[in-house]
Amino acid sequence: MRRRIRSAALPVHRHSLPQLVVDGLLVALAWYLAFKLRFDRGVPPRYQDLLEATIGPVAGGGLVIFALSGLYQKWWRYFGRRDYETVLRGVLILTIALAAYIAIVHPVKVSTRGGGEVAVSAPAGVIVLFFLLTLAFTCGVRLLISEVLERPVRGFQPKRGARDVLIVGAGDGGRLVLREIVRNPDLGLRPVGFADDDPRKRGLRLDHGLRVLGSTDELDRILDEVEPEEVIIAIPSAPGTVRARVVTACRARGIPVRTLPTVFELLAGGGNVMRQVRELRVEDVLGREPVRVELERVGKYLEGHVVMVTGAGGSIGAELCRQIARVAPRKLVLLDHAEDNLFRITRELEETRHFRSTAAVLADCKEEERMREVFAEHRPTVVFHAAAYKHVGLMEDNPVEAVRNNALATRIVAHIAGESRAHRFVLVSTDKAVSPKNVMGASKALAEWAVEAARARHPQTSYATVRFGNVLGSSGSVVQIFRAQIAAGGPLTVTDERMTRYFMTIPEAVQLIIRAGSLGDGGEVFVLEMGDPVRIVDLARDMIRLSGLEPDTDIAVEIVGRRAGEKLHEELFNPYERPQATPAEKILVAEREPLDPAWVESTFDQVNVLVLEGDAAALAAKVDELSTARTAPALRVST
């Protein structure tokens, strides 16, 4: 905090002293030339006196205004478009201040014939010329310095054997990649051009004379013309459709493709951009449009609150912690029963992301007394409940533990959150809770019912459930399984050729969970729009191709048959639910008649007895009965 205050009080540093000298001289020169250009036949004596009397205050005042505008907080070599807007604003303020200074202070006065004195004001033409000249000089010198310093002293000389590279994307990302390549010849890359979908850039020569050769729709022609040895996708926010188009065109010619990371990865990675350029992953080319949320705006309701995340060390829980930390909660309580996972995310937040308002809590959500202790100690006002078992096969083999952890633990945490008068409670659910065909899905369906029932018992707390499909990169996901199988030389095992699943990246899902948390009020079930479902066999083949291999030639894809509890196609809504729009993009609400809270409590009492008895067979039968009965209108009784 002390460093910020010093920066605000003295918005210059020792490295900006040469900039101050140059700007002072340029402002003085602009004021001098404004008079000389305004008066072709020589400056009249009274205006010459005005020039001499004001040139010092103009230069000094200009430096003060420029400093207060923030012009000296960055080296000129790193000036960008927004910085030139700052220059424009500073010059405009200086011009207005100069005119006001001369009009109020009257630095020069001349005698009149009647013996009085009259102030000499600056001609309007001088003021206008001064504005234009100062703007041209200050912007010009910054542009010149930037160009000289950014351009190699002796021109770009790539190392011997450098690979020709085509850059897809001529925006900020592409130009940043080009700049790094030119700065670092040891990278062994020689840029041959850009491809960009903006029609206004077609044919333009951008930095270092590199030309925009066409759009990605013309990539076949471009690749045949320039024959690059590598392609870099330099659009961090590029949709999967664009990446897939590039990959398809390059794959046909055996050209390797790399990509800039997503915006999330760039923010997390820092450092040299070219070090973050990586091989394409399957999540880059799934073809769905990425969801973009202004997290600082939509997550503002978390600012200043004590936020608890259960399952904080898991895939979703850890990303929730990372993104919640960005919106400045008063304290972030990380709760998990896995020691290693909790240690890793706590260290990441404190050491890498410099967010130290954390409390790491080792606890199990199934233990009611321990959870009461945690709530009493930390008093969370917002709770994101992401703790859950999620592996279908394991849950089929361990139904008692699945229901205990996913359903009964959710009921406990939701109930204690209401008793503690938390403001909000958000359950992270799954599409497997819809018309469940396995124990894991049924346990999550029970968890959804528990949250709805808690809303009836604790109306002062806003409850919500957020339901979505598979997330890419989560532990044990099909993508990780396929990667391991590819590394082992195959085969890739697919349970059924017709099987499809919805996919979303973890950062996308978490952004929408946080957004949905602000919408909840009456125990609603919010459903994230997942795009089109993806055939698992197509996913397997794409991953093989992205590894530089050919499916069924280099690596086999085997159909092994469906496992117990697996559905061919997942759904996002139950038959009795009606999708309704919400104020938030990509978030729907599942509208339906409410459950009878008494029926839910009675049902959980029965399930709890079976769990305590450890009767797996009876529990599985009960869960199956509930999954079927849930569609009956008799069970959906309004309170």
Side-chain angles (χ1 to χ4, degrees):
M1 182 62 69
R2 184 179 304 163
R3 189 176 299 169
R4 290 184 181 178
I5 292 174
R6 287 182 60 191
S7 176
L10 186 64
V12 297
H13 49 79
R14 59 187 179 89
H15 297 294
S16 62
L17 294 179
Q19 301 175 16
L20 288 165
V21 173
V22 172
D23 275 348
L25 293 174
L26 290 177
V27 170
L29 178 62
W31 186 234
Y32 173 80
L33 290 177
F35 281 89
K36 294 299 181 181
L37 294 174
R38 167 63 178 79
F39 300 102
D40 297 337
R41 300 179 181 178
V43 181
R46 64 180 184 276
Y47 290 123
Q48 182 66 37
D49 293 340
L50 180 64
L51 168 62
E52 294 173 357
T54 56
I55 193 166
V58 167
L63 295 181
V64 172
I65 290 172
F66 287 174
L68 294 175
S69 298
L71 289 186
Y72 303 117
Q73 294 180 342
K74 180 185 289 187
W75 289 359
W76 284 354
R77 69 184 299 170
Y78 300 122
F79 259 60
R81 187 188 64 178
R82 291 190 178 181
D83 299 304
Y84 289 109
E85 294 173 2
T86 304
V87 174
L88 172 61
R89 184 169 60 250
V91 173
L92 182 60
I93 294 173
L94 170 60
T95 305
I96 295 172
L98 171 61
Y101 168 77
I102 294 174
I104 295 172
V105 177
H106 306 308
V108 174
K109 297 180 180 179
V110 295
S111 301
T112 62
R113 291 179 180 179
E117 288 186 332
V118 62
V120 177
S121 59
V126 170
I127 298 296
V128 172
L129 284 169
F130 171 72
F131 170 76
L132 296 175
L133 289 169
T134 305
L135 184 63
F137 288 163
T138 51
C139 287
V141 70
R142 285 160 172 80
L143 179 62
L144 178 63
I145 295 297
S146 177
E147 286 296 315
V148 169
L149 293 179
E150 290 302 304
R151 190 179 299 276
V153 177
R154 300 180 181 177
F156 177 53
Q157 295 292 332
K159 64 186 297 186
R160 182 173 298 178
R163 305 186 308 279
D164 290 344
V165 60
L166 175 73
I167 302 172
V168 177
D172 292 338
R175 297 167 77 172
L176 195 59
V177 168
L178 174 63
R179 191 175 305 165
E180 291 294 335
I181 292 174
V182 172
R183 278 180 181 171
N184 302 287
D186 289 340
L187 290 171
L189 299 174
R190 181 190 299 106
V192 295
F194 289 105
D196 195 281
D197 288 336
D198 187 346
R200 296 171 298 179
K201 295 178 181 176
R202 184 185 178 91
L204 290 180
R205 289 191 179 275
L206 304 179
D207 297 358
H208 305 283
L210 213 61
R211 195 161 63 90
V212 179
L213 304 173
S215 69
T216 56
D217 289 328
E218 304 170 280
L219 204 54
D220 289 329
R221 172 187 61 79
I222 296 171
L223 294 175
D224 290 338
E225 286 180 358
V226 300
E227 297 183 346
E229 297 170 81
E230 183 177 336
V231 171
I232 295 178
I233 301 175
I235 314 172
S237 58
T241 49
V242 172
R243 296 178 191 268
R245 189 185 310 148
V246 175
V247 169
T248 300
C250 293
R251 185 189 300 148
R253 294 162 177 80
I255 301 173
V257 182
R258 291 193 292 165
T259 183
L260 270 184
T262 64
V263 175
F264 298 104
E265 293 171 298
L266 281 171
L267 291 174
N272 189 305
V273 171
M274 286 305 295
R275 290 179 186 169
Q276 297 191 65
V277 173
R278 56 165 171 77
E279 300 298 324
L280 274 167
R281 298 197 290 250
V282 68
E283 48 264 48
D284 296 320
V285 296
L286 274 180
R288 59 184 306 278
E289 292 291 332
V291 178
R292 300 181 187 90
V293 174
E294 296 177 16
L295 185 64
E296 286 72 13
R297 177 177 61 83
V298 303
K300 196 166 183 64
Y301 71 97
L302 302 175
E303 184 178 341
H305 283 272
V306 177
V307 182
M308 174 187 285
V309 178
T310 69
S315 305
I316 295 293
E319 185 63 26
L320 269 169
C321 294
R322 294 182 191 104
Q323 296 201 32
I324 291 171
R326 289 171 51 193
V327 296
R330 181 157 57 92
K331 182 167 68 171
L332 181 55
V333 182
L334 293 75
L335 188 145
D336 204 299
H337 73 279
E339 178 190 20
D340 290 346
N341 291 345
L342 184 60
F343 176 77
R344 275 195 294 269
I345 185 59
T346 304
R347 287 278 297 178
E348 179 185 336
L349 291 177
E350 294 181 350
E351 302 300 326
T352 305
R353 299 174 184 271
H354 309 293
F355 180 81
R356 302 186 183 277
S357 300
T358 61
V361 178
L362 269 174
D364 193 329
C365 294
K366 300 189 293 292
E367 299 177 2
E368 185 170 352
E369 289 307 313
R370 174 63 176 137
M371 293 307 299
R372 290 187 185 278
E373 291 174 0
V374 173
F375 272 82
E377 179 182 356
H378 298 285
R379 310 299 299 178
T381 52
V382 182
V383 179
F384 289 91
H385 183 54
Y389 292 146
K390 57 189 176 185
H391 298 295
V392 173
L394 280 175
M395 297 306 98
E396 286 296 309
D397 295 336
N398 300 273
V400 173
E401 202 56 33
V403 174
R404 193 201 315 268
N405 189 75
N406 290 358
L408 299 183
T410 298
R411 185 192 187 201
I412 289 171
V413 178
H415 179 59
I416 297 175
E419 283 185 339
S420 303
R421 306 189 74 81
H423 297 170
R424 298 182 184 275
F425 180 94
V426 182
L427 168 68
V428 177
S429 190
T430 171
D431 58 359
K432 292 176 176 59
V434 176
S435 302
K437 300 298 183 185
N438 52 56
V439 172
M440 200 283 279
S443 67
K444 293 298 287 184
L446 283 167
E448 291 187 3
W449 303 351
V451 170
E452 184 179 341
R455 171 66 177 86
R457 295 182 62 182
H458 307 286
Q460 76 281 355
T461 300
S462 296
Y463 287 87
T465 293
V466 184
R467 183 193 295 164
F468 52 94
N470 294 27
V471 287
L472 293 159
S474 64
S475 60
S477 71
V478 67
V479 172
Q480 288 195 344
I481 293 172
F482 284 166
R483 281 183 183 144
Q485 290 176 337
I486 291 171
L492 271 63
T493 55
V494 177
T495 55
D496 194 296
E497 195 167 2
R498 299 165 295 169
M499 185 171 289
T500 63
R501 290 292 183 268
Y502 293 101
F503 286 100
M504 175 179 280
T505 66
I506 293 175
E508 285 181 276
V510 167
Q511 286 183 80
L512 293 177
I513 291 170
I514 294 173
R515 178 70 176 99
S518 67
L519 304 174
D521 182 46
E524 300 94 340
V525 176
F526 294 104
V527 182
L528 307 188
E529 290 187 12
M530 300 293 298
D532 296 325
V534 176
R535 291 179 71 218
I536 300 300
V537 69
D538 292 340
L539 180 67
R541 296 181 187 279
D542 285 339
M543 290 191 64
I544 293 172
R545 293 189 182 100
L546 286 174
S547 302
L549 303 170
E550 195 61 32
D552 302 319
T553 301
D554 300 311
I555 292 184
V557 176
E558 290 186 2
I559 308 299
V560 296
R562 276 190 285 168
R563 294 185 293 263
E566 274 193 323
K567 292 193 291 186
L568 275 180
H569 312 291
E570 297 288 3
E571 304 163 280
L572 296 172
F573 294 90
N574 285 297
Y576 49 83
E577 294 175 335
R578 299 176 298 278
Q580 300 293 327
T582 69
E585 183 185 4
K586 300 290 185 182
I587 300 178
L588 303 173
V589 64
E591 187 181 83
R592 53 174 170 72
E593 296 178 30
L595 282 170
D596 180 0
W599 176 83
V600 175
E601 295 299 330
S602 173
T603 299
F604 268 92
D605 288 342
Q606 298 172 47
V607 170
N608 195 36
V609 169
L610 295 174
V611 168
L612 289 174
E613 293 175 348
D615 192 339
L619 183 61
K622 182 63 178 178
V623 167
D624 184 63
E625 173 194 335
L626 292 172
S627 302
T628 305
R630 180 63 182 99
T631 61
L635 296 181
R636 298 196 301 278
V637 181
S638 298
T639 56

